[in-house]
Amino acid sequence: MRQIGIWLDKKKAHIVDIHDGRVSLNTILSEVEDFHPSGGFGLGYKGSPQDAMAENKYMKREKQQLKKYFKNIVSAVSEAENLVIFGPAETGEKFYKELTESYSDIKAKVKDVVKTDSMTKKQVKAWVKEFFNIPIRVKGFLS
């Protein structure tokens, strides 16, 4: 049975693949741009019509970048039998919504979507093992 956990935020996704007793971790980087307005874009004040138009353009661009990022993740997890999605913020929820809208076969494999804090790669692996009740090896002994 192939069980996969996906920890993701807007910048990267750590994909933990548990298959035949082996655990692997693959990282997919997103190309989603950071957006930090530092004032008005056009008329010299924040909230002007030009400011709203520039923000709208950014939001459309971000949506397209997220779609591409999510498509890359879907390609990496297509052979999963069970999936769990977790991570900070709302990127996991956006990914689940994309699965619902465009990848119903993958969405059917999702067991849960969980909000968690940022984690190290080691913590991500341990979290996925615990979620799927896989024994964690500690210094040569099963815990």
Side-chain angles (χ1 to χ4, degrees):
M1 178 173 278
R2 185 169 237 146
Q3 299 170 313
I4 295 180
I6 308 165
W7 180 97
L8 76 156
D9 62 13
K10 273 189 179 180
K11 296 182 184 212
K12 64 185 169 291
H14 295 305
I15 299 171
V16 178
D17 187 346
I18 302 172
H19 182 63
D20 291 336
R22 293 186 177 154
V23 179
S24 64
L25 185 136
N26 180 30
T27 300
I28 295 176
L29 300 176
S30 81
E31 296 176 6
V32 177
E33 300 171 48
D34 283 333
F35 178 66
H36 301 288
S38 58
F41 285 97
L43 297 177
Y45 61 93
K46 191 164 177 59
S48 70
Q50 284 86 356
D51 188 37
M53 285 174 46
E55 187 171 340
N56 190 24
K57 284 182 184 180
Y58 166 77
M59 297 303 285
K60 285 181 182 178
R61 189 167 59 237
E62 179 187 55
K63 188 175 182 180
Q64 291 304 313
Q65 291 169 347
L66 280 172
K67 277 189 168 292
K68 182 179 175 186
Y69 175 44
F70 294 160
K71 185 177 181 180
N72 291 338
I73 295 170
V74 166
S75 294
V77 303
S78 62
E79 295 181 22
E81 294 174 47
N82 294 309
L83 281 169
V84 61
I85 301 166
F86 62 111
E90 67 255 356
T91 308
E93 293 167 2
K94 287 180 181 180
F95 179 59
Y96 185 74
K97 182 179 178 188
E98 180 69 15
L99 293 179
T100 302
E101 293 172 359
S102 303
Y103 304 96
S104 58
D105 54 328
I106 302 292
K107 184 238 180 211
K109 301 173 184 182
V110 176
K111 300 304 174 199
D112 206 352
V113 179
V114 181
K115 282 195 178 190
T116 63
D117 291 330
S118 294
M119 298 180 182
T120 66
K121 290 179 181 181
K122 204 173 194 178
Q123 289 171 323
V124 168
K125 282 183 180 181
W127 193 96
V128 173
K129 285 179 177 181
E130 185 176 324
F131 182 86
F132 289 117
N133 294 317
I134 307 293
I136 299 173
R137 289 190 162 269
V138 179
K139 297 182 184 176
F141 297 99
L142 290 177
S143 58

